[in-house]
Amino acid sequence: MKFLKLFTLIFLMFFMSCKNDTKIIRELQNIHSEIKAKYAPDKRVELFDINFELTDNQLILEGEITSKKAFSILLDSLKNRNLEFSNNVRVLPDVKVGDLKYAVARNSVINIRSQPKHSAELGTQGLLGMSLKVLDKKGDFYRIQTPDNYISWVDKGGITRMNENEFDVWNQSRKVIFTQNFGYVYVDKSVNSKIISDITLGGLLHYVSEDNQFYEVKYPDNRTGFIKKSEGVIYSSWIKNLTISQENIETVARTMIGFPYLWGGTSSKGIDCSGFTKMVYLMNGFVIPRDASQQINAGETVDTNLNFEGLEKGDLLFFGRKATKKKRQRVTHVGIWLGNNKMEFIHASGNVHLSSMDSSQPNYDEFNKNRYLGSKRYLNVEDKLIIDLKEKIKL
């Protein structure tokens, strides 16, 4: 009988302990969720993933984060509750990447994937000469962050890693930007010479010298070669003299007509809907968010009545699932309004082409008209999500 009472007492103590542990974990998870919602709501651009575990009355924190501010707030919350804990959270970048916390794309196009493996979904792409932050390493892949803050994985063959000093030298060096859709970098000053690599629209290389026909250029990994002067221009001159206008948005967009659709693509080798709008704006001097669901959060809202009135050339049109009582709005597609009398817009779907919102036109797009969500204006709008490269080069 005494044994039974003792057993019952031990069981109740164990049960209450488990119940209290569960309550603590649930409370911490709620705190984590609130902080994440405020400081790191989009895992594509900010990491704040922390797990809580209680072992032998010891609270253990594990996970990966890039937001130091959010993590500091979380730690303060734990200390205010007088909770003792073991901190195993990785603040990226950390010792895995050492001093080489930066990188530059060394191939014409680098494929940046959702997971550290070649079979993973293509999340986005980077162009030759693109500056990157290196956050983590796993096998032959590095977790990197692009200039639009997109976080994902690239294989080691696509980048040249650098320390802070080398990275600063690269960023401050004089560069040549490639302005054609496709081309080559040659070993010698002749289009009949051997090819070092291909190069695509928007690619950047370090300027070395020039003559009447060729620029001598250097890759981030110190390879040198030559590109035709008719296919490139000194970057500082290009950005300084760039005419940012509605007409130039259309001109650049039309040069990409026929580009094939590629999920995750942001280059002339293949492009998705938001990769297309991103590339058009890049060649007009702006770095904008990567995905359509991010792009809709930037700029000035126009056409609130969804009747295609008040739109101007260059505005972004968004499409997807409209909000219901049970489901939120979901943005899945984006295009660029052309502002002509045919109510046309240009977008990447199958390939880059023109469609119309006018039912009398042969290229009428009834499908997208029925899922139209609204539009945003980027030109002449100040927004922290829209990086003006003209302003950046003045810094």
Side-chain angles (χ1 to χ4, degrees), residues 18-34 50-54 59 74 78 81 83:
C18 290
K19 191 173 182 180
N20 289 334
D21 288 355
T22 302
K23 183 180 179 181
I24 292 172
I25 294 296
R26 188 181 298 116
E27 182 182 357
L28 294 178
Q29 288 172 339
N30 289 336
I31 294 170
H32 172 264
S33 297
E34 290 175 5
I50 300 174
N51 296 316
F52 305 94
E53 184 176 331
L54 271 171
L59 177 63
L74 176 65
L78 298 181
R81 285 166 173 77
L83 290 173

Side-chain angles (χ1 to χ4, degrees), residues 161-290:
R161 295 177 64 204
M162 299 179 178
N163 60 34
E164 187 172 3
N165 181 63
E166 293 167 334
F167 190 64
D168 288 343
V169 169
W170 171 264
N171 286 327
Q172 295 167 13
S173 68
R174 197 179 190 192
K175 296 186 185 66
V176 175
I177 184 171
F178 194 75
T179 55
Q180 303 300 302
N181 287 341
F182 306 97
Y184 298 100
V185 182
Y186 301 96
V187 171
D188 299 310
K189 297 179 183 180
S190 169
V191 296
N192 296 317
S193 71
K194 291 182 179 180
I195 294 169
I196 294 179
S197 78
D198 68 321
I199 187 170
T200 61
L201 181 67
L204 290 169
L205 286 167
H206 172 72
Y207 170 90
V208 178
S209 65
E210 63 184 286
D211 61 17
N212 291 333
Q213 292 184 306
F214 287 88
Y215 287 115
E216 183 180 5
V217 291
K218 182 189 290 186
Y219 288 75
D221 58 7
N222 291 323
R223 287 175 294 167
T224 58
F226 299 87
I227 63 172
K228 294 165 63 176
K229 291 190 77 171
S230 60
E231 297 179 344
V233 64
I234 302 298
Y235 176 80
S236 57
S237 297
W238 173 77
I239 195 68
K240 181 180 178 180
N241 297 317
L242 186 63
T243 301
I244 300 173
S245 66
Q246 297 175 348
E247 288 69 29
N248 204 42
I249 292 288
E250 179 175 2
T251 297
V252 172
R254 285 182 177 272
T255 65
M256 301 182 195
I257 288 177
F259 278 17
Y261 182 91
L262 174 66
W263 178 275
T266 60
S267 72
S268 51
K269 291 187 175 183
I271 208 157
D272 64 18
C273 64
S274 55
F276 168 65
T277 55
K278 181 175 178 59
M279 195 66 193
V280 170
Y281 269 86
L282 176 64
M283 297 311 294
N284 277 274
F286 296 97
V287 174
I288 68 173
R290 170 61 183 94

Side-chain angles (χ1 to χ4, degrees), residues 103-164:
V104 177
R106 65 184 294 273
N107 293 336
S108 61
V109 176
I110 60 172
N111 295 318
I112 303 172
R113 302 188 178 278
S114 60
Q115 298 294 329
K117 54 185 179 181
H118 289 289
S119 59
E121 177 186 64
L122 183 65
T124 189
Q125 292 179 319
L127 302 175
L128 178 62
M130 178 182 281
S131 296
L132 309 162
K133 294 179 182 178
V134 181
L135 303 177
D136 198 3
K137 182 181 187 297
K138 189 172 183 179
D140 288 338
F141 280 78
Y142 288 92
R143 181 181 265 166
I144 53 90
Q145 189 167 32
T146 59
D148 55 17
N149 294 321
Y150 205 87
I151 297 173
S152 211
W153 298 85
V154 65
D155 71 280
K156 66 178 183 181
I159 59 174
T160 296
R161 295 177 64 204
M162 299 179 178
N163 60 34
E164 187 172 3

